């Protein structure tokens, strides 16, 4: 299986405190991979290093074999690293479709972003078609003209996914997508993500505390603890590990 996103021996310190020490991860084409660990394990720091939000003190980040370690966030995004956010990063008064259109213009580098910010940009027929295709893919066509403030939290999560899909990601990094969702909403989100991934073929790295979601959604997982990767393997085996269950997951059981 060819590697899509590969991080090798990532290192990061904050004021002399080691946040990451020689952390490596390798995500193959079309995989769904989990990244788990307790609070303070370094997951967010590692996530931000992969995205370029934080500059690593050592190590490399490769996207389809290309070294992107020194590239800024927007360049990594244009090359194919998409992401969603733990906290909803949407504009309440803007429509669902508008969020996707702005992402499309960033991808195309049309130079219209300043017009979008001033409310002066007029989307082309091609831009509208592409946005509507993604809305249909996510089952959001009926909400395209609705402002974000009228949507449920689960629907807002899908809008974030849609915005990321507009960048045509090779790998999608999901940061706590189940945060704030109930069990039914989480299951619906996971099902939609699986269907969209099956159609488009991108890879997924999931960071989440919902053990049932990780067990059902991913095939392989990594465990991070105190800035070190301590375990990697098939998700079911990882979650069944006595060390992981005792130290990080309490009495929660993976689904059969």
């Amino acid at each position: 299986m060819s590697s899509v996103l590969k991080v090798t021996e990532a290192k990061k310190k904050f004021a002399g405190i080691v946040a990451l020490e020689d952390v490596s991860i390798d995500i193959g084409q079309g995989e769904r991979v989990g990244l788990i660990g307790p609070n303070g394990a370094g997951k967010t720091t590692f996530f931000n290093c992969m995205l370029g939000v934080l500059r690593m003190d050592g190590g490399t980040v490769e996207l389809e074999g290309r070294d992107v370690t020194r590239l800024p966030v927007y360049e990594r995004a244009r090359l194919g690293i998409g992401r969603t956010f733990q906290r909803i990063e949407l504009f309440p008064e803007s429509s669902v479709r508008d969020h996707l259109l702005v992402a499309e213009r960033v991808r195309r580098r049309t130079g219209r972003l300043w017009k979008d910010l001033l409310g002066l940009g007029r989307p082309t027929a091609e831009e509208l078609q592409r946005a509507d295709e993604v809305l249909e893919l996510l089952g959001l066509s009926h909400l395209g003209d609705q402002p974000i403030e009228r949507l449920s939290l689960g629907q807002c999560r899908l809008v974030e996914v849609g915005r990321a899909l507009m960048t045509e990601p090779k790998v999608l990094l999901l940061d706590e997508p189940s945060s704030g969702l109930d069990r039914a909403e989480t299951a619906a989100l996971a099902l939609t993500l699986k269907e969209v991934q099956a159609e488009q073929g991108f890879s997924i790295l999931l960071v989440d505390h919902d053990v049932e979601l990780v067990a059902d959604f991913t095939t392989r997982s990594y465990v991070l603890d105190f800035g070190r990767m301590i375990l990697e393997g098939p998700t079911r085996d990882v979650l069944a590990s006595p060390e992981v269950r005792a130290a990080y997951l309490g009495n929660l059981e993976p689904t059969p």
Side-chain angles (χ1 to χ4, degrees), residues 186-200:
T186 297
L189 175 62
L191 179 59
T192 299
L193 284 168
K194 285 181 179 180
E195 292 174 345
V196 172
Q197 186 201 25
E199 179 167 325
Q200 299 203 348

Side-chain angles (χ1 to χ4, degrees), residues 23-25 34-38 41 43 221-233 235 238-239 241 243-245 247-249:
V23 177
S24 300
I25 194 170
L35 176 63
I36 62 175
K43 300 188 301 297
S221 289
Y222 291 85
V223 182
L224 194 61
D225 185 32
F226 290 108
R228 294 177 176 82
M229 204 70 80
I230 63 170
L231 192 61
E232 178 269 330
T235 296
V238 167
L239 295 181
S241 164
E243 297 86 358
V244 170
R245 292 174 60 191
Y248 316 124
L249 308 179

Side-chain angles (χ1 to χ4, degrees), residues 11-86:
K11 300 178 178 63
K12 185 64 183 177
K13 291 183 179 180
F14 295 103
I17 298 175
V18 176
L20 298 174
E21 183 169 350
D22 296 330
V23 177
S24 300
I25 194 170
D26 193 346
I27 301 171
Q29 177 66 45
E31 275 198 298
R32 292 195 300 269
V33 178
L35 176 63
I36 62 175
N39 290 331
K43 300 188 301 297
T44 298
T45 298
F46 189 46
F47 214 70
N48 287 333
C49 286
M50 286 186 281
L51 291 161
V53 176
L54 291 175
R55 183 177 292 276
M56 299 187 300
D57 298 322
T60 59
V61 180
E62 297 177 56
L63 181 64
E64 292 190 324
R66 174 176 176 174
D67 191 338
V68 299
T69 308
R70 298 188 179 277
L71 294 184
V73 177
Y74 71 90
E75 286 290 352
R76 298 188 199 200
R78 284 171 175 164
L79 288 172
I81 301 179
R83 74 160 297 174
T84 65
F85 298 85
Q86 180 177 356

